[in-house]
Amino acid sequence: MHTIAVLALDQVIPFDLSTPIEVFTRTRLPDGRPGYQIRVCAEQPETDAGSFSLRAPWGLEGLKGADTIIVPGTAVPTAPLAPAVRDALRAAAEEGTRIASICSGTFPLAATGLLNGMRATTHWIAAGLLATAYPDIEVDPDVLYVDNGQILTSAGAAAGLDLCLHMIRKDYGSAIAADAARLSVMPLEREGGQAQFIVHDYAPTPQGSTLEPLLVWLQDNLGTDLTLADIAAHAGTSTRTLIRRFREQTGTTPLQWLHRARIRQAQHLLESTHHTVERIGAQVGFGSPTAFRDRFKKTTGVSPHSYRRAFS
């Protein structure tokens, strides 16, 4: 039987804590046997869970020998990680234990150093904070989860369900994972990613940066057919210098920034107007409906029509 240790840190989010417990506890093999044994572990005898406190039956010793450790999110993700917890997670990783985080649980996992050099995700609202606090991690705010093999991370709230179902499928196959999904009233694979839930009328602008006037100008001209040379000319600089400044101040390239700004504006228009998809694509600067649909789905994971049905 596969043993899963769920680590309840101080200020643990109850939803994130209960998700793996419920999903894995209900998983049954074809002969009716449980597929998982669950250990709820904590560093201290009593853990603050916000509206209540809990007493975990296992201490950190419960992490030893587990096949998988899951770190749920906490209400204060930037809280210092206790050295004993850090050491226990590192030791488990050295033993080959699979370690996964749910929502803001990526932060304590990042504090161990185990995510350095890896791609990871967390709740979209905290993705910028994660990227700033841990520059050695490639933060992807658009996906539901990231599987690096031994180390996995999931996005906000319900994405923890997606990650749990993904791990069940890896452990026991699609049939058992599909049964677990039905019990959770969830599709085994959800269409799209976290990007479709990110609400911005415009792409974030670094306040006070030297690029701020240029980014405001770009935002005001999303419907214009702009090339890299056009942007550099407006900025009064060379394309090479422009690219370097964008990398330094936004973490991306000018055209990538422009594409994301266009998609965010398109999301807003899909939610707030009855304009056709073709008209919206033209309004935000795409030369053809096909190019707009392709870019929209690549960025958000769903088509413009699916996005409108879900959010309008």
Side-chain angles (χ1 to χ4, degrees), residues 23 42 97 101 140 149 155 165 179 211 305:
V23 174
T97 303
S101 65
D140 187 345
L165 293 172
D179 285 339
L211 281 180
H305 285 294

Side-chain angles (χ1 to χ4, degrees), residues 137-205:
I137 299 173
E138 180 189 347
V139 180
D140 187 345
D142 296 339
V143 296
L144 294 174
Y145 58 82
V146 174
D147 183 350
N148 290 298
Q150 183 186 3
I151 310 293
L152 304 90
T153 56
S154 72
L161 278 168
D162 297 278
L163 179 61
C164 291
L165 293 172
H166 171 70
M167 289 191 285
I168 293 171
R169 181 168 51 190
K170 291 185 70 173
D171 294 338
Y172 292 114
S174 295
I176 291 175
D179 285 339
R182 280 190 286 272
L183 285 171
S184 300
V185 198
M186 278 278 293
L188 183 54
E189 290 187 20
R190 278 199 287 167
E191 183 183 13
Q194 189 171 213
Q196 60 190 299
F197 300 100
I198 301 175
V199 180
H200 289 301
D201 287 348
Y202 52 85
T205 300

Side-chain angles (χ1 to χ4, degrees), residues 14 112-113 119 122 156-157 170 177 199 213 238 244:
T112 65
R119 179 167 159 259
T122 187
K170 291 185 70 173
V199 180
S238 67
R244 176 174 57 79

Side-chain angles (χ1 to χ4, degrees), residues 29-42:
L29 303 183
D31 60 5
R33 291 181 298 114
Y36 297 92
Q37 177 187 33
I38 307 296
R39 301 174 185 169
V40 179
C41 309

Side-chain angles (χ1 to χ4, degrees), residues 42-288:
E43 181 198 11
Q44 301 295 336
E46 187 169 294
T47 300
D48 183 0
S51 57
F52 62 90
S53 57
L54 62 90
R55 291 184 175 275
W58 294 80
L60 294 180
E61 77 281 356
L63 304 181
K64 297 178 181 178
D67 299 291
T68 298
I69 295 172
I70 296 180
V71 185
T74 65
V76 188
T78 55
L81 187 65
V85 175
R86 179 199 61 209
D87 294 344
L89 290 173
R90 285 179 177 174
E94 290 177 2
E95 293 295 321
T97 303
R98 181 173 65 185
I99 304 177
S101 65
I102 294 177
C103 194
S104 59
T106 305
F107 281 80
L109 189 54
T112 65
L114 295 174
L115 286 172
N116 287 352
M118 292 187 181
R119 179 167 159 259
T121 192
T122 187
H123 194 293
W124 64 265
I125 205 168
L129 179 60
L130 181 67
T132 300
Y134 299 100
D136 291 333
I137 299 173
E138 180 189 347
V139 180
D140 187 345
D142 296 339
V143 296
L144 294 174
Y145 58 82
V146 174
D147 183 350
N148 290 298
Q150 183 186 3
I151 310 293
L152 304 90
T153 56
S154 72
L161 278 168
D162 297 278
L163 179 61
C164 291
L165 293 172
H166 171 70
M167 289 191 285
I168 293 171
R169 181 168 51 190
K170 291 185 70 173
D171 294 338
Y172 292 114
S174 295
I176 291 175
D179 285 339
R182 280 190 286 272
L183 285 171
S184 300
V185 198
M186 278 278 293
L188 183 54
E189 290 187 20
R190 278 199 287 167
E191 183 183 13
Q194 189 171 213
Q196 60 190 299
F197 300 100
I198 301 175
V199 180
H200 289 301
D201 287 348
Y202 52 85
T205 300
Q207 297 285 323
S209 74
T210 58
L211 281 180
E212 184 176 358
L214 177 62
L215 299 184
V216 171
W217 176 79
L218 285 173
Q219 188 63 50
D220 290 339
N221 290 275
L222 295 180
T224 304
D225 184 15
L226 295 172
T227 66
L228 183 61
D230 294 330
I231 300 171
H234 182 82
T237 187
S238 67
T239 56
R240 183 174 180 177
T241 299
L242 179 71
I243 292 171
R244 176 174 57 79
R245 288 178 180 171
F246 257 81
R247 284 288 187 191
E248 291 172 349
Q249 297 183 38
T250 72
T252 187
T253 68
L255 293 181
Q256 287 172 337
W257 190 97
L258 183 60
H259 282 316
R260 286 191 174 273
R262 286 171 168 164
I263 293 303
R264 288 188 174 99
Q265 180 64 13
Q267 288 176 296
H268 172 69
L269 292 172
L270 286 166
E271 295 172 22
S272 61
T273 75
H274 296 291
H275 298 170
T276 65
V277 169
E278 291 75 13
R279 178 178 173 183
I280 290 173
Q283 282 179 276
V284 297
F286 287 91
S288 72

